[in-house]
Amino acid sequence: RQDRRPGFDTFVRTASVPASSELYYAHLMLPHRPWELLPDGRLYPTGGRRPPCLSRESWCSDSRFVELGLQRLILQTMYVDTVIGRLINGLEESGRFDDTLIVLVADHGIAFTPGEDPRIMSDKNAHGVLPVPLIIKAPHQTEGRIVGRRVSTLDVLPTILELLGEEVPWTMDGVSRVDGKGSNAASLRVHTKRRGAVQIDPSLLKKNRGFVNRKLRLFGDGSDPDSIYCFGRHAELCGRSTDGLEVLSGKGWRSKIADADALQNVDLEAAVLPAMVRGAVSPPRGVRSSQNLVVALNGVIVGNTVSEFKGKRWQPFSAVLPPSAFRQGVNAVEVFRVSGKPSNLVLRELPHK
């Protein structure tokens, strides 16, 4: 699999010292799948697997698994944010930031709606597939503003041309949005791969606000960089030492950790960190109910995940752990089942091979 980081590095290095009146353009396949990068740019091995419960057609119906995929996208997006910061720093150091036009835009979104396709648009997932980020820094702009009105990717080129004082002798489908005004059209025309051009109700996009609020509830606002690694059910256990918790016997349960040897010789300076703990549970005969799990590294709970029985077997589980929890050399990982009410949670051992 091709490493996508060098393309980012080359673009940042070149565009940070732009020549006068030159255009620097890059179509970079990040934060696109595969999701395998930590915010600092280190790779974590994934075993080549898709995110939990993502088939070729759709997400599964269990929101807990869908949220694990969302977590990995956010981690990779945080790396993209880091690289953009490096670009801005380079432009400032070269003295070219003020007179440089910067445009950041994506070509499509992705939906995290349980039971729905992540990419093929429907009324249920349009709020995730259609909205894309659009960030523009105009030459000599000193203050930012947010345009809350609806705009289109068709408007990007006309906006760039007006900001640069250029005219085009032909008609374009989009219009410049330098004035900050958006569209008030009663319907939205969307070009799709499977259905061609279709008209949709713009009110479908209002669900995106609920999706943003959901992300904030799950992962926080970024003020705590490690909150992204432990979220949802039983996140309150994260940061706690296992020595201070009551841990009961697993009563016949076992687990197997994939590539466990990688945790025995961790190099914190390497470009690859075994931050994703992957494995499978082996329960007593007849158990079929899904299990909430927490993962401890070096005696501290730092991640949570879920395992379920599906298709006549238990599906693999995975959890991405914070780099700050790793030690140089040998690292000890433990997995626990969690049950009980929030006021009286019970941890049970999952000894692993």
Side-chain angles (χ1 to χ4, degrees), residues 164-287:
L164 297 178
E166 300 291 338
E167 295 184 2
V168 178
W170 61 78
T171 301
M172 291 184 287
D173 292 330
V175 298
S176 172
R177 299 299 182 182
V178 171
D179 58 8
K181 296 180 179 179
S183 172
N184 288 317
S187 64
L188 180 63
R189 182 179 176 86
V190 177
H191 294 267
T192 67
K193 184 176 181 180
R194 295 186 179 181
R195 297 159 55 192
V198 297
Q199 302 289 133
I200 69 166
D201 184 348
S203 66
L204 294 174
L205 304 183
K206 293 181 179 180
K207 294 180 181 179
N208 187 255
R209 173 50 57 185
F211 176 61
V212 171
N213 290 334
R214 172 185 162 204
K215 286 194 290 185
L216 288 171
R217 287 195 302 269
L218 284 171
F219 307 113
D221 60 4
S223 56
D224 177 5
D226 283 351
S227 65
I228 181 69
Y229 297 96
C230 208
F231 62 92
R233 298 188 184 188
H234 312 313
E236 67 273 18
L237 292 172
C238 290
R240 297 186 62 178
S241 170
T242 55
D243 289 340
L245 297 170
E246 183 181 8
V247 180
L248 304 181
S249 168
K251 294 183 179 179
W253 285 77
R254 294 289 184 271
S255 66
K256 182 176 181 180
I257 304 297
D259 301 325
D261 290 346
L263 294 166
Q264 303 307 303
N265 189 24
V266 171
D267 182 357
L268 297 179
E269 301 300 322
V272 178
L273 184 72
M276 174 179 277
V277 172
R278 299 175 289 112
V281 299
S282 177
R285 184 182 298 273
V287 176

Side-chain angles (χ1 to χ4, degrees), residues 20-32:
S20 179
S21 302
E22 285 195 353
L23 170 67
Y24 294 83
Y25 170 84
H27 181 192
L28 302 166
M29 297 298 289
L30 285 167
H32 201 284

Side-chain angles (χ1 to χ4, degrees), residues 233-234 237 240-250 253-255 257 277 280-281 290-307 317 319 332-339 345-352:
R233 298 188 184 188
H234 312 313
L237 292 172
R240 297 186 62 178
S241 170
T242 55
D243 289 340
L245 297 170
E246 183 181 8
V247 180
L248 304 181
S249 168
W253 285 77
R254 294 289 184 271
S255 66
I257 304 297
V277 172
V281 299
S290 64
Q291 301 292 316
N292 293 304
L293 311 176
V294 294
V295 181
L297 190 66
N298 301 318
V300 178
I301 296 174
V302 290
N304 54 353
T305 184
V306 64
S307 183
F317 67 81
V333 64
E334 300 171 279
V335 182
F336 303 92
R337 290 189 299 126
V338 186
S339 60
L345 294 177
V346 177
L347 270 63
R348 298 185 183 276
E349 293 178 328
L350 267 176
H352 61 82

Side-chain angles (χ1 to χ4, degrees), residues 11-57:
F11 178 75
V12 169
R13 187 169 55 252
T14 305
S16 293
V17 190
S20 179
S21 302
E22 285 195 353
L23 170 67
Y24 294 83
Y25 170 84
H27 181 192
L28 302 166
M29 297 298 289
L30 285 167
H32 201 284
R33 293 200 313 264
W35 299 321
E36 58 188 2
L37 290 169
L38 296 166
D40 60 12
R42 280 183 287 184
L43 285 164
Y44 58 88
T46 65
R49 296 181 180 274
R50 288 172 174 265
C53 96
L54 177 59
S55 68
R56 291 184 179 276
E57 299 296 330

Side-chain angles (χ1 to χ4, degrees), residues 8 11 25-31 80 84 102-109 130-137 151-157 160:
F8 250 18
F11 178 75
Y25 170 84
H27 181 192
L28 302 166
M29 297 298 289
L30 285 167
V80 175
I84 293 171
I102 302 174
V103 179
L104 173 67
V105 65
D107 54 355
H108 63 78
L130 294 183
V132 297
L134 174 58
I135 301 173
I136 298 177
K137 198 287 290 184
V151 300
S152 166
T153 49
L154 294 174
D155 302 331
V156 173
L157 180 57
I160 290 175

Side-chain angles (χ1 to χ4, degrees), residues 53-69:
C53 96
L54 177 59
S55 68
R56 291 184 179 276
E57 299 296 330
S58 65
W59 292 105
C60 66
S61 59
D62 192 326
S63 63
R64 293 175 298 176
F65 289 96
V66 180
E67 289 161 0
L68 289 169

